[in-house]
Amino acid sequence: MQPTPPISLVIFGASGDLTQRKLIPALFQLCREGLLPGSLRIIGYARRAKSDAQFRAEQRAGVVAHGRVQPIDAEAWEGFAANLFYHAANFDDPQGFISLRERIEHLETEAGVAAGHGHRLFYLATPPEAYPGIVSHLGAAGLQGATLAQAGSHGWTRIVIEKPFGHDLASAEALNAHVLSIFHERQVYRIDHYLGKETVQNILAFRLGNSIFEPLWKRGYIDHVQITVAEAIGVEGRGGYYESAGAIRDMLQNHMLQVLALIAMEPPATFSAEAVRNEKVKVLQAIRSLAHAPLDQLVVRGQYAGYHAEPGVAPTSNTETFVALRLQIDNWRWAGVPFYLRTGKALQQRLTEVAIQFRQPPLALFSHADHDDHVGPADEMEPNMLVLRIQPDEAITLQIGLKPPGPEMALRPVALDFRYAAGFTDPHPEAYERLLLDVLLGDATLFIRRDEVEAAWALITPILEHWANPETPPPALYPPGSWGPDAAHELIGREGRRWRS
């Protein structure tokens, strides 16, 4: 990072898990690597009373427990911790925000910054119900920053808002309207940490940087696309949160639709933030609406056996811990190519991947040798498949057919593998490291724009409304350690396809 005027970063919710596990360790790692301006001041804002020294000690423990590089460098930590401060106040206390403004101004004056020319970043690492009040109080305290007309000659002000951004279309629209009544869109960074993962960013690099694949990335060559986000654990003590979210809000509406947009978007004219986000929005808006669709044929919801026994879960809860659905993108590139998405808790393994299955060759010239060397008919040949593994064991695998040794002219599926751990020996930066650096640099490419978040909610809200109907059947039960309810296999099986195992 080039030398910049001092930056004040205020983290609302500084006593929370996200701050200690992710944000401060990421900022410290950026500091160690020389990627932060030396003039960055970090102010933790939370309700509990504590001193700067106590706050620094707590955050040091978080870096020791969760930092990417261990052991921590004592000298580097001391330099970083000298710029950590704490501000105790309630989120609903107007005076707390006025005193916050005064403290920021005091730190800027100490650094020799002229009034109104300091850079300020506000990070909302709080429960989502606190977002509207914090935004209102920032505006009332005069902390919303310069107007568009003044922005060229004044310091910048930015605000980062964590997911979930709303809980349906109406609430997302209302939150957007409220935030944008105080800040303008170019100041707002709606964060989805999935977009900070190296393997997610590599989707575009792989697609657009390799002439082998880009010509094949369309309906004439691709049969269907599967996106899987599976977790082996259950809700793990987060039953109270999960009751208000469920799998569709927790994973599908945000992370999975973002991955789908990167897979399906058209090549942007440039890699500028607006060009990339324009193409992602076009994909989300081109997905066929589910408002009047036969949802029971397109969407499956499930719940793992034993979910009702989890702490914080209602004994009659219909909250889904698994969801699978079929989507259709109605544009020239993808017409007729189904996208199958599934996500769930307590599944067979932890796995996030995209599987792109190519069409079979037009002529059946070969028999098929399976793993037991039995020869089957040509139409049972394994199709070519490209698998982009996002986590764990990040990898790219291309499955092709080759003739095994022996007299038969048959095909056997083999895999061409690339594994990130072997190809790139340097440790991968954490997602929050990349995203925090982008905010400080003013690069919004990996953040969600207003129309993008609303397009995603517009797609998902009809499903939520359908499930809220008391006449809708409850979630199908599935045993922990399986791949979800049988209905999920029937969903894809009706069209002669199967989930990748």
Side-chain angles (χ1 to χ4, degrees), residues 11 36 93 97 101 152 182 191 194 211 221 239 255-256 281 285 291 298 332 341 359 399 415 421 440 474 488:
I11 301 176
L36 288 185
D93 178 12
F97 288 80
R101 184 194 67 208
I182 296 168
I191 192 169
Y194 250 56
S211 59
Y221 298 94
H255 303 328
M256 298 184 75
V281 169
Q285 292 175 341
L298 299 175
W332 281 67
L341 284 66
R359 294 185 183 277
Q399 179 178 289
L440 293 169

Side-chain angles (χ1 to χ4, degrees), residues 300-302 322 476-479 482-494 499:
V300 172
R301 65 170 170 166
F322 175 95
L477 289 180
Y478 62 93
S482 69
W483 278 113
D486 292 340
H489 301 284
E490 296 166 4
L491 170 72
I492 193 170
R494 282 196 293 267
W499 293 107

Side-chain angles (χ1 to χ4, degrees), residues 51-61 77 81-85:
S51 66
D52 290 344
Q54 288 175 304
F55 181 60
R56 291 165 182 167
E58 289 176 359
Q59 299 312 313
R60 188 183 192 281
W77 173 258
N83 290 315
L84 278 178
F85 305 93

Side-chain angles (χ1 to χ4, degrees), residues 50-364:
K50 66 184 72 169
S51 66
D52 290 344
Q54 288 175 304
F55 181 60
R56 291 165 182 167
E58 289 176 359
Q59 299 312 313
R60 188 183 192 281
V63 172
V64 169
H66 307 293
R68 177 164 64 85
V69 177
Q70 298 292 344
I72 68 171
D73 181 280
E75 184 178 350
W77 173 258
E78 290 304 318
F80 177 78
N83 290 315
L84 278 178
F85 305 93
Y86 187 79
H87 186 79
N90 290 326
F91 297 146
D92 58 357
D93 178 12
Q95 187 58 45
F97 288 80
I98 294 172
S99 59
L100 172 66
R101 184 194 67 208
E102 293 169 349
R103 187 160 194 186
I104 293 172
E105 291 171 347
H106 174 71
L107 290 173
E108 290 174 343
T109 301
E110 280 187 339
V113 179
H117 288 261
H119 297 328
R120 299 168 180 178
L121 173 59
F122 301 106
Y123 197 115
L124 273 56
T126 66
E129 57 268 20
Y131 297 166
I134 292 173
V135 169
S136 294
H137 289 307
L138 286 171
L143 287 167
Q144 73 273 40
T147 66
L148 279 171
Q150 299 169 324
S153 58
H154 286 64
W156 51 254
T157 298
R158 297 170 187 149
I159 183 168
V160 179
I161 303 177
E162 276 280 348
K163 78 159 187 92
F165 196 93
H167 60 271
D168 57 15
L169 178 59
S171 61
E173 289 175 333
L175 182 55
N176 269 326
H178 179 64
V179 171
L180 297 180
S181 70
I182 296 168
F183 295 90
H184 36 85
E185 178 64 36
R186 70 173 185 82
Q187 294 178 286
V188 181
Y189 288 70
R190 301 170 190 84
I191 192 169
D192 184 337
H193 74 271
Y194 250 56
L195 294 182
K197 293 179 179 291
E198 285 289 335
T199 41
V200 172
Q201 296 168 54
N202 249 316
I203 290 173
L204 286 185
F206 180 82
R207 272 190 60 188
L208 306 178
N210 296 284
S211 59
I212 297 173
F213 293 103
E214 178 54 27
L216 308 180
W217 217 266
K218 57 188 177 183
R219 61 189 299 270
Y221 298 94
I222 293 177
D223 178 78
H224 73 279
V225 177
Q226 299 179 23
I227 303 176
T228 298
V229 178
E231 296 184 67
I233 60 174
V235 296
E236 297 292 295
R238 298 172 67 232
Y241 160 75
Y242 214 76
E243 281 288 89
S244 64
I248 198 165
R249 289 186 174 101
D250 187 47
M251 295 298 300
L252 197 144
Q253 181 274 334
N254 38 71
H255 303 328
M256 298 184 75
L257 288 183
Q258 286 297 313
V259 171
L260 181 149
L262 292 175
I263 290 291
M265 63 183 272
E266 293 296 319
T270 68
F271 266 110
S272 68
E274 292 311 300
V276 171
R277 297 195 293 182
N278 286 344
E279 298 302 335
K280 288 168 62 186
V281 169
K282 290 177 186 176
V283 169
L284 295 175
Q285 292 175 341
I287 297 175
R288 186 176 299 173
S289 173
L290 299 173
H292 303 291
L295 291 179
D296 290 334
Q297 298 176 32
L298 299 175
V299 185
V300 172
R301 65 170 170 166
Q303 186 183 92
Y304 66 82
Y307 174 71
H308 287 165
E310 299 280 5
V313 173
T316 58
S317 171
N318 279 337
T319 298
E320 78 287 352
T321 62
F322 175 95
V323 61
L325 76 161
R326 181 192 189 277
L327 297 176
Q328 190 80 44
I329 300 175
D330 290 332
N331 62 19
W332 281 67
R333 182 181 290 267
W334 297 109
V337 178
F339 283 69
Y340 299 98
L341 284 66
R342 62 173 172 170
T343 183
K345 298 278 191 182
L347 298 179
Q348 193 172 109
Q349 67 183 100
R350 176 174 175 258
L351 175 71
T352 300
E353 69 175 26
V354 179
I356 299 162
Q357 182 169 311
F358 293 92
R359 294 185 183 277
Q360 293 281 31
L363 294 176

